[in-house]
């Protein structure tokens, strides 16, 4: 039965045992395909099961026929079916030091047998990589060592807080990804931007192109050669120097909201990549009667999608973090004084 609840995930977590440790890789294994792996390509299954083994070696044992499914040779495009028996040959790999990933405590907004929805804090990456040892997904897996399947459905920028959906079953992941591709998932954000946003409701359609700076940092800019991107902005509240907007995503490009706003002349308060750096310094200090803001004011506060098992619409909301709501109260106080 589905449960809507808030709670903590235990911090005292034992080190997760990798199913593809060195000893198991060095002997023949017979693996039966579970429901969670039904429909997955054999090469992707082996990448996940044989962690630490180079992809080139995985493709080599597939081409040589050493990997068998139901005692038959298959190629790398074969899609697994529940109940298939996979023969995985011995694989020699160099021993490597396992990195310890600590469990973490996250606010759970919704959970049932197929999905998990958490409220991600700002400053936490959703996954490891690009100089980050681990993120939310690795910490959740460490905190839930008995979970048979746990994958991100979508992503959030490290600096963005709010709703993050994870799948606890492969079938749920597939169905939710279909909704993302079809554009039927409704994701809403709240953003505090500099200046007076003129239109109550405005569509922004600007193509976005990824690139890297001279020091290798990933960035995005508006460029005719980029991917089509569409955001709808609705005014929630106006302040003398800021506007609180709701951003409705129609596409899900990297840094889409941040770049669309910056290119429209209204940067997000606290944005350290595309923002107004002088403004950021001011709001980090705060003003009299106003709390300081030491983060980017962008929060994923609401999502609506079709539940992958019940087939019914599900809406989950996440309240503004205290730092953001506190900053708004300060702006309201200043506004009242001006009046």
């Amino acid at each position: 039965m589905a449960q809507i609840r808030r709670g903590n995930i235990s911090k005292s977590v034992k080190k997760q045992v990798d199913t593809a440790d060195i000893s198991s890789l060095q002997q023949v294994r017979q693996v039966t395909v579970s429901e969670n792996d039904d429909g997955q390509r054999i090469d992707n299954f082996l990448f996940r099961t044989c962690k630490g083994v180079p992809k080139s070696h995985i493709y080599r044992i597939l081409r040589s026929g050493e990997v068998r499914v139901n005692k038959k040779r298959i190629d790398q495009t074969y899609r697994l079916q529940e109940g298939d028996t996979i023969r995985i040959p011995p694989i020699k790999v160099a021993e490597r030091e396992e990195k310890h990933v600590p469990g973490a405590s996250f606010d759970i907004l919704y959970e049932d047998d197929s999905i998990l929805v958490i409220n991600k804090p700002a400053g936490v990456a959703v996954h490891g990589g690009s100089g980050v040892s681990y993120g939310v997904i690795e910490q959740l897996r460490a905190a839930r060592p008995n979970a048979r399947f746990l994958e991100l459905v979508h992503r959030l920028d490290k600096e963005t807080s709010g709703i993050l959906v994870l799948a606890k079953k492969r079938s749920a992941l597939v169905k939710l990804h279909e909704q993302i591709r079809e554009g039927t998932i409704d994701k809403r954000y709240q953003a505090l931007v500099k200046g007076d946003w003129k239109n109550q409701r405005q569509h922004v359609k600007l193509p976005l192109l990824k690139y890297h700076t001279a020091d290798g940092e990933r960035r995005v800019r508006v460029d005719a050669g980029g991917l089509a991107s569409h955001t709808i902005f609705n005014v929630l509240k106006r302040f003398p120097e800021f506007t609180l907007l709701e951003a409705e995503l129609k596409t899900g490009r990297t840094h889409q909201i941040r770049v669309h706003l910056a290119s429209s002349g209204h940067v997000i308060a606290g944005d350290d990549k595309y923002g107004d750096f002088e403004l950021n310094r001011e709001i980090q200090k705060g003003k009299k009667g106003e709390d300081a803001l030491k983060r980017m004011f962008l929060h994923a506060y609401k999502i609506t999608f079709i539940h992958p098992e019940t087939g019914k619409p599900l809406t989950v909301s996440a309240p503004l973090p205290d730092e953001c709501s506190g900053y708004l109260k300060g702006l309201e106080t200043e506004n009242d004084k001006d009046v």
Side-chain angles (χ1 to χ4, degrees), residues 276-293:
D276 181 324
F277 305 118
E278 181 60 35
L279 172 67
N280 291 346
R281 282 193 290 270
E282 290 179 7
I283 64 179
Q284 285 173 7
K285 295 176 182 177
K287 299 177 181 178
K288 187 176 180 180
E290 172 184 279
D291 290 339
L293 182 66

Side-chain angles (χ1 to χ4, degrees), residues 191-206:
L192 185 69
V193 302
K194 178 182 178 181
D196 183 20
W197 187 272
K198 293 183 179 180
N199 300 320
Q200 185 65 31
R201 180 175 173 84
Q202 181 174 330
H203 292 254
V204 175
K205 297 180 179 180
L206 296 170

Side-chain angles (χ1 to χ4, degrees), residues 187-191 231-234 245-249 257:
K187 290 193 285 186
R188 305 290 177 104
Y189 295 70
Q190 289 186 38
T231 314
I232 301 174
F233 295 103
N234 303 297
L245 295 175
E246 177 190 67
E248 179 182 343
L249 283 180
I257 296 173

Side-chain angles (χ1 to χ4, degrees), residues 97-145:
E97 183 180 352
E98 291 292 332
K99 293 181 179 179
H100 174 67
V101 178
S105 174
F106 295 105
D107 187 14
I108 299 175
L109 302 172
Y110 178 93
E111 183 171 14
D112 59 25
D113 292 339
S114 61
I115 59 175
L116 169 66
V117 186
I118 68 168
N119 190 2
K120 185 189 84 67
V124 180
V126 296
H127 58 74
S130 300
V132 179
S133 298
Y134 52 81
V136 171
I137 185 63
E138 291 86 4
Q139 290 181 296
L140 281 172
R141 286 170 179 162
R144 300 179 175 214

Side-chain angles (χ1 to χ4, degrees), residues 33-46 62 67-70 72-86 170 173-174 177-178 181:
V33 175
S34 68
E35 176 189 358
N36 284 331
D37 296 313
D38 185 68
Q40 187 177 31
R41 277 179 46 149
I42 183 65
D43 53 354
N44 291 328
F45 174 85
L46 293 173
L62 281 167
V67 177
R68 300 288 180 109
V69 177
N70 302 327
K72 298 179 181 178
R73 293 181 63 144
I74 41 82
D75 64 22
Q76 65 194 48
T77 63
Y78 177 81
R79 292 195 177 273
L80 298 170
Q81 299 179 37
E82 184 179 358
D84 279 351
T85 300
I86 306 171
R170 179 164 296 281
L173 182 66
V174 170
H177 278 175
E178 286 177 356
R181 287 193 297 271

Side-chain angles (χ1 to χ4, degrees), residues 46-64:
L46 293 173
F47 296 153
R48 181 170 57 84
T49 305
C50 304
K51 291 179 180 177
V53 179
K55 289 185 177 182
S56 59
H57 190 74
I58 295 295
Y59 286 122
R60 189 179 304 121
I61 61 175
L62 281 167
R63 287 194 301 270
S64 67

